[in-house]
Amino acid sequence: MRLAKTRSTASAACRAGHVRVNGARVKPAHAVRAGDEVRLRQGELARVVVIVRVITKRVGAADAAECYLDNSPPPPPREKAVAVAARDRGTGRPTKRERRSIEKLLGRAAR
């Protein structure tokens, strides 16, 4: 399966206990069968896949994606970027007044 980018990151996730097959923690060499449910935690994201068919040799990510059904919950919405005060290049350091307005924009309290 191609749920992790490399084999070493996949085995590290198994050793850390982030991979479960049918609810049980597994070691990196655990064999999966068709119909098994694999849960993988990657950071804050959780992936849930059901194995459709097992492949015996290494294939590309696109071919491997056809071998499982992805039942993962949708990722949380991304936070919108905060407006950052931009200055033109070559204008030098901000004045005290400009600095205070920048800190007000960024939500930092004035001392």
Side-chain angles (χ1 to χ4, degrees):
M1 276 188 13
R2 289 290 283 270
L3 297 178
K5 189 166 185 156
T6 63
R7 291 173 63 118
S8 61
T9 57
S11 62
C14 288
R15 283 193 298 274
H18 300 302
V19 179
R20 294 179 181 269
V21 176
N22 295 328
R25 286 179 155 178
V26 294
K27 292 183 177 181
H30 183 80
V32 294
R33 290 178 287 214
D36 285 350
E37 179 187 71
V38 179
R39 292 181 177 266
L40 171 67
R41 193 174 76 228
Q42 295 173 324
E44 294 182 12
L45 298 176
R47 295 197 58 192
V48 179
V49 297
V50 176
I51 309 291
V52 175
R53 66 183 171 96
V54 179
I55 47 179
T56 56
K57 61 180 184 176
R58 291 184 60 151
V59 295
D63 295 332
E66 297 174 357
C67 298
Y68 60 84
L69 295 173
D70 195 356
N71 295 334
S72 302
R78 290 185 166 207
E79 296 177 7
K80 294 187 178 183
V82 177
V84 178
R87 294 181 51 82
D88 295 329
R89 288 186 63 87
T91 57
R93 293 180 58 179
T95 63
K96 191 172 193 177
R97 183 179 188 184
E98 290 172 335
R99 180 181 53 81
R100 286 184 176 160
S101 66
I102 290 170
E103 288 183 359
K104 184 179 179 183
L105 177 69
L106 294 177
R108 298 180 188 149
R111 293 183 189 181

